[in-house]
Amino acid sequence: MRVIPLMTAAVVTAGLYYAVIERDALLAFARGEQVSDETASSDVSEPTDASATTAAAAETVAPQAADADKADNSGVRVVALRSTARGIDSAVVLRGQTQAIRQVEVRSETTSTVLSEPLRKGAQVKAGDLLCKLDPGTRPSTLLEAKARLSEAKIRVPEARARLDESRARLKEAQINLTAAAKLSEGGFASETRLASSQAAERSAVAGVATAETGLETTSAGIEAASAQVAAAEKELARLDILAPFDGLLESDTAELGSLMQPGSLCATVIQLETIKLVGYVPETEVNRVTIGAGARAELANGRNVEGKVTFISRSADPTTRTFEVEITVPNPDLAIRDGQTADIVISAEGSKAHYLPQSALTLNNDGQLGVRVVEDDMTVGFYPIQLLRDEASGVWLGGLPEQADVIVVGQDFVVAGVSVAPTYKEVSQ
């Protein structure tokens, strides 16, 4: 048998004896009081009475300790945050970039060489200003030839109409002769040969009318063809002057003097910046919160703040990112905002009330639903599903809670709905 366990048992027994049987003496010794010989002898000679006294004291202390222990263990200790809902602007935040309200590459529509001196990029132009002047070549002669054909076609019109009138008169004469020959033939005063000749003449006159009408239509068609040639020649001449389509700035030099221009060759790039667009992409979960005409503000990469209104929301999502394009129009009279600048955009949306809580307060219930646990009025735990409205570095804005809520921020993962708790409260500022 080992000695150490026996010694340990003896020490424990002695400690229990002095803690229970000799409790008064032990307390007196701890307070520094002396125990009288009488008391000691009394304790030694009458152990039964001392034991009874000690037992009575123990019975008195035991209920008090049980009550205190019951009070301490009446609920799970947690730390709760007294939170009050506050109004927030539920803005939609996104990143985007600036774009010119208009930008066009002005290109040549014909083939020729440039005759005009080039304009340098950055120059301001007005709508209708000449950007590139091209060599006309033989185009003026082509126009004159087309106009001559048009005049010739118009001259033939009276002749064709006269032939038509002549053919109609001969048809009328042939019809009269045919009627007379038919009546004479019926009375026996004209031969059948004469009647046949009158019929042939009438049919020839009908053919002559048809031919004259065709000739008039051909002449009219010739006029239209000549007019089309004139219009094409005039359009070709107009293409020699490449003009600015609107007021703006030259983003590139115009074509150099003597360079050969072909259909599609670039003459210049014109950009308009008096009004600028902010273009961003909204996720599909928030696109319904953005409306046409909503106010918006943005901070550019250079620190400048601008304001505008939403003028366009795409109805079709980007197939890759599943986001919707949003355009915001911003005035830019001083042309300080450039095309292609990065911008942090905030679009105003309908405001709401929310609680600002630390992210650590979020938890899951048994169904895997995200929410927070709160202390109810009867000191039991309640669970509320939440709506995550905004995420910030120091906390989150949550919706779906009552106006006043005691949110458990320490110990929420160790309790469930309906469990009694003993909360310790702290304010939001703590």
Side-chain angles (χ1 to χ4, degrees):
M1 181 179 292
R2 296 184 179 181
V3 179
I4 298 301
L6 294 176
M7 295 179 63
T8 303
V11 172
V12 171
T13 303
L16 292 175
Y17 172 78
Y18 279 101
V20 177
I21 305 301
E22 300 293 337
R23 183 171 179 272
D24 294 338
L26 184 61
L27 293 176
F29 176 77
R31 291 194 296 267
E33 299 177 355
Q34 293 184 354
V35 182
S36 63
D37 295 338
E38 183 179 356
T39 304
S41 62
S42 176
D43 292 339
V44 174
S45 63
E46 299 177 0
T48 303
D49 296 340
S51 299
T53 304
T54 305
E59 290 177 357
T60 304
V61 173
Q64 297 176 355
D67 293 340
D69 184 64
K70 182 178 180 181
D72 291 341
N73 297 326
S74 60
V76 181
R77 293 191 175 276
V78 294
V79 178
L81 181 68
R82 295 186 182 274
S83 176
T84 302
R86 290 177 282 173
I88 63 169
D89 180 14
S90 302
V92 178
V93 181
L94 60 151
R95 289 181 64 86
Q97 64 178 5
T98 60
Q99 286 187 7
I101 193 69
R102 286 181 176 180
Q103 181 172 348
V104 63
E105 294 179 342
V106 185
R107 298 181 180 273
S108 174
E109 297 181 75
T110 187
T111 301
S112 188
T113 56
V114 179
L115 296 180
S116 59
E117 293 289 339
L119 300 176
R120 299 306 174 187
K121 54 186 175 182
Q124 289 190 348
V125 294
K126 298 291 184 180
D129 286 354
L130 181 65
L131 300 179
C132 297
K133 177 69 174 179
L134 304 183
D135 184 12
T138 60
R139 292 175 179 83
S141 302
T142 303
L143 177 60
L144 292 176
E145 181 181 359
K147 288 181 177 180
R149 289 179 180 177
L150 177 60
S151 299
E152 181 181 0
K154 289 180 178 180
I155 292 173
R156 291 178 179 176
V157 173
E159 180 183 358
R161 288 178 178 174
R163 289 180 179 176
L164 178 59
D165 293 340
E166 181 183 1
S167 298
R168 288 174 178 173
R170 288 182 178 179
L171 174 60
K172 187 176 182 179
E173 180 184 5
Q175 290 174 345
I176 293 172
N177 292 334
L178 177 60
T179 302
K183 289 181 179 181
L184 291 175
S185 177
E186 292 175 357
F189 299 102
S191 62
E192 293 181 1
T193 303
R194 181 179 178 184
L195 178 61
S197 177
S198 297
Q199 290 176 347
E202 190 267 341
R203 291 176 182 175
S204 177
V206 171
V209 170
T211 302
E213 289 177 348
T214 302
L216 180 60
E217 291 178 359
T218 302
T219 304
S220 299
I223 293 175
E224 292 179 359
S227 298
Q229 291 178 357
V230 170
E234 290 176 345
K235 183 64 177 179
E236 187 68 16
L237 282 175
R239 290 171 177 169
L240 299 176
D241 295 336
I242 303 177
L243 309 177
F246 49 78
D247 297 350
L249 299 173
L250 289 179
E251 191 66 11
S252 64
D253 293 342
T254 60
E256 188 61 54
L257 174 65
S259 58
L260 176 64
M261 303 291 287
Q262 295 180 346
S265 298
L266 180 64
C267 170
T269 301
V270 183
I271 189 172
Q272 190 178 66
L273 296 176
E274 283 78 6
T275 302
I276 204 79
K277 293 187 299 184
L278 300 177
V279 180
Y281 293 87
V282 179
E284 56 185 340
T285 57
E286 296 187 346
V287 67
N288 289 335
R289 298 173 55 199
V290 182
T291 58
I292 297 293
R297 62 182 184 274
E299 182 179 357
L300 304 182
N302 58 7
R304 176 170 179 172
N305 294 315
V306 295
E307 294 184 359
K309 291 186 177 182
V310 177
T311 55
F312 172 76
I313 304 174
S314 175
R315 293 288 179 178
S316 176
D318 184 276
T320 303
T321 62
R322 309 306 303 169
T323 56
F324 294 82
E325 183 180 0
V326 175
E327 290 184 1
I328 301 162
T329 303
V330 176
N332 186 31
D334 57 354
L335 308 182
I337 306 175
R338 302 175 184 273
D339 180 39
Q341 289 184 272
T342 304
D344 293 324
I345 305 171
V346 178
I347 302 175
S348 299
E350 184 178 356
S352 61
K353 284 194 173 183
H355 291 261
Y356 187 70
L357 299 171
Q359 295 181 358
S360 59
L362 301 179
T363 186
L364 297 174
N365 64 1
N366 293 334
D367 297 329
Q369 193 172 18
L370 182 65
V372 295
R373 292 189 171 94
V374 301
V375 179
E376 302 287 2
D377 295 338
D378 57 354
M379 294 301 167
T380 59
V381 177
F383 181 84
Y384 284 91
I386 55 90
Q387 298 174 353
L388 184 60
L389 301 180
R390 189 183 302 173
D391 187 0
E392 297 181 357
S394 57
V396 289
W397 289 94
L398 304 179
L401 297 177
E403 185 77 14
Q404 301 283 341
D406 297 335
V407 182
I408 302 175
V409 294
V410 177
Q412 70 272 19
D413 292 328
F414 301 99
V415 293
V416 294
V419 173
S420 297
V421 291
T424 300
Y425 295 99
K426 71 174 184 176
E427 299 299 330
V428 177
S429 60
Q430 295 180 351

